[in-house]
Amino acid sequence: MRSPFAPSCPRRVGRSTARLGTLGVALLAAAVPLSLPASSAAATTTSVTTAHTSAAAATAAATTMDLSVEEDRLSQPAPQEILRRSGFVVWPREFARGLARMRTYPQARRYVEAEGRALWRRAVDRVQGRGPVGGDLSRDDDRPLYWARLGMSKELRQWQPGFGLSPTQREALLHSLERGSRGQDSIELPAGKHLLRIVVTGFDPFQLDDDPRRSNPSGAAALALDGTTIRTASGESARIEAAVFPVRWADFARGTVERTLAPYVRRGPRQVDLFTTISQGRPGRFDVERTNGAWRGGYPDNVQESRTETVPIPPGVPTVTPQPQWTTTSLPYARIVAAGTGPYPVVDHTAVTEIPAGGTTPVVRPDGPTPGSTARAGGGGDYLSNEIAYRATLLRDAVGRPTLPGGHLHTPVLEFGPGNTDPADGQVTDPVLVQNRMAITRQVREIVTVAADSAGGTAAGAS
């Protein structure tokens, strides 16, 4: 996921398919509206009652209009078609029906948390071939999860419960929905010494104002790998757990990356032996990013916000002091590049952009940063893919595990097939898009397997 530097930036095997919701609502039940129009009998009420009704209606209307930029995109034809052709169109409807039954905030909190996790499990199941297809959209597609989550958050943002719900409580519910539906709070790494533990992360689709049909192969790979087990060339088994992250500067500044990864990067019985953050990068190739920079370049995110600043580290998370300008991958990049992992070439990408020590002008360095320089772009650019790599590797160093294999992998850009490039009249999917997304996912799996083989030796040496 690059900004100006590139064109774009099973749950679990053996588990039953996730139910649609905790209240057991029927999959195809009709949606119940969240509020009803005022009755014509209201005209006969007293002026005081009318004033109260008008004030309440005005408040509800204002809340209804207060949607996020991402939620506003839901009304476009492409998102609606993606939801319809995957069967995920029912999720926001059924979620709203469940919300209407909530009578207290604690009850709502439990419901929202459960439904977020259920959406994540359903998305993983669909990609990994379990449960109903739900429509003719390819199973490997990451987009139904993204748009269904936004449909649910829209319902939650507009919900007017009968009990008092403060802005802080509503924000907490939205946060719970986000974490649960992204797999961030359901990473389940097993303890013990006989299985390697791996965490991979992906991203939402992005640059959706240019084309709302876009898919992100890193998110598709995360869904395909979550809860699966691979076997390395040396015969070791490795369990993979996955999560996806939003393309939003503010979430990163609040510590969503560190909050998700810290329990597993820290030493302990369930500590990871390998982590790989993944995003979409250049056309036609994979990049293993050698160096990550502490700089945000300002490219607009999915809510059209721009941040140009040093990467902010939130209070309370482990970090290195003073904050370094650069962090470095500890993935076995030489082995990954040399291995035959699939149809796309894999590059050890070493270039960065820096302001040299004592200088004022940014300079591109093909072989990495020079001593004392100030970061202006890591190998992965200056967008959120560089930032997630910087944060994850900084966390690795802060908890005292500098040799833990970890770093960032950029996938090829996922493009629509010839003749389907114009979003104005293009289709939401085509055979070329599906073929390339599946090929990228397969190669991600192979790259992670190669890295895990090296991680096995590292873990054995550490023990």
Side-chain angles (χ1 to χ4, degrees):
M1 180 190 303
R2 305 172 190 269
S3 67
F5 295 92
S8 47
C9 171
R11 178 140 299 266
R12 305 275 186 289
V13 175
R15 292 187 184 180
S16 61
T17 301
R19 80 279 185 268
L20 186 63
T22 58
L23 298 177
V25 290
L27 187 68
L28 298 178
V32 173
L34 296 180
S35 59
L36 297 175
S39 168
S40 59
T44 66
T45 61
T46 66
S47 60
V48 174
T49 303
T50 301
H52 266 297
T53 302
S54 298
T59 301
T63 303
T64 299
M65 294 174 64
D66 191 20
L67 301 178
S68 73
V69 173
E70 289 181 286
E71 291 159 355
D72 272 335
R73 297 189 185 105
L74 271 166
S75 61
Q76 298 179 31
Q80 290 302 312
E81 183 177 350
I82 290 166
L83 288 171
R84 187 175 62 253
R85 292 177 62 181
S86 62
F88 277 56
V89 70
V90 302
W91 278 87
R93 298 172 185 171
E94 299 300 340
F95 183 62
R97 290 169 64 92
L99 285 175
R101 295 181 174 92
M102 298 299 104
R103 296 295 175 260
T104 66
Y105 175 68
Q107 184 186 25
R109 188 177 62 234
R110 292 190 295 270
Y111 173 73
V112 170
E113 180 179 344
E115 292 304 288
R117 289 177 176 175
L119 177 62
W120 172 257
R121 289 196 299 271
R122 178 67 193 107
V124 170
D125 282 347
R126 187 179 191 275
V127 169
Q128 295 184 13
R130 294 185 296 276
V133 178
D136 66 346
L137 205 62
S138 173
R139 274 193 180 267
D140 68 296
D141 205 315
D142 61 301
R143 298 171 297 175
L145 171 63
Y146 175 72
W147 293 112
R149 179 192 304 115
L150 287 173
M152 292 168 73
S153 68
K154 177 181 177 180
E155 297 291 353
L156 184 53
R157 203 179 301 275
Q158 295 178 313
W159 178 44
Q160 296 296 320
F163 59 90
L165 184 68
S166 71
T168 300
Q169 288 174 326
R170 190 185 300 273
E171 194 62 34
L173 293 176
L174 287 164
H175 176 70
S176 179
L177 175 63
E178 281 279 320
R179 283 182 57 76
S181 63
R182 294 181 177 282
Q184 293 175 2
D185 64 357
S186 56
I187 293 174
E188 299 176 3
L189 291 172
K193 298 182 178 180
H194 304 295
L195 191 70
L196 296 174
R197 292 172 289 271
I198 300 172
V199 169
V200 302
T201 70
F203 272 102
D204 288 347
F206 65 113
Q207 293 183 328
L208 298 169
D209 287 329
D210 295 333
D211 190 345
R213 305 174 301 158
R214 280 188 168 135
S215 167
N216 194 323
S218 70
L223 290 169
L225 292 174
D226 184 52
T228 63
T229 300
I230 58 175
R231 187 171 295 277
T232 70
S234 57
E236 291 184 281
S237 294
R239 170 67 167 267
I240 303 175
E241 293 287 305
V244 296
F245 286 92
V247 183
R248 297 192 296 253
W249 295 110
D251 293 69
F252 276 51
R254 288 193 292 264
T256 185
V257 173
E258 292 88 349
R259 184 184 307 110
T260 302
L261 299 182
Y264 312 102
V265 176
R266 289 191 180 103
R267 296 186 187 277
R270 301 179 191 277
Q271 67 185 32
V272 294
D273 300 297
L274 168 73
F275 67 86
T276 307
T277 56
I278 309 171
S279 66
Q280 180 177 244
R282 289 183 172 86
R285 65 187 249 191
F286 281 88
D287 286 300
V288 183
E289 303 297 352
R290 185 82 73 89
T291 307
N292 318 297
W295 185 250
R296 299 175 140 193
Y299 192 76
D301 62 11
N302 271 356
V303 293
Q304 299 173 350
E305 289 185 357
S306 178
R307 303 285 179 93
T308 305
E309 59 188 353
T310 299
V311 170
I313 305 301
V317 304
T319 191
V320 176
T321 305
Q323 182 179 348
Q325 286 295 303
W326 308 99
T327 64
T328 305
T329 189
S330 47
L331 290 172
Y333 53 85
R335 288 191 62 178
I336 292 171
V337 169
T341 53
Y344 296 98
V346 183
V347 177
D348 170 22
H349 189 232
T350 59
V352 301
T353 302
E354 66 174 19
I355 298 177
T360 58
T361 304
V363 176
V364 176
R365 299 291 190 191
D367 298 320
T370 57
S373 65
T374 301
R376 281 299 177 266
D382 58 7
Y383 200 36
L384 287 161
S385 57
N386 167 75
E387 184 162 330
I388 196 172
Y390 177 83
R391 290 183 181 276
T393 49
L394 182 64
L395 180 66
R396 172 204 64 194
D397 296 343
V399 300
R401 299 186 67 193
T403 61
L404 168 66
H408 192 76
L409 179 69
H410 262 121
T411 75
V413 172
L414 182 61
E415 298 174 320
F416 288 93
N420 190 30
T421 57
D422 187 350
D425 58 8
Q427 302 300 309
V428 298
T429 190
D430 60 55
V432 172
L433 179 82
V434 173
Q435 178 182 349
N436 290 342
R437 187 169 53 215
M438 294 177 70
I440 291 170
T441 293
R442 285 193 297 267
Q443 193 160 352
V444 168
R445 189 189 303 270
E446 292 302 314
I447 289 171
V448 171
T449 302
V450 170
D453 198 41
S454 296
T458 303
S463 63

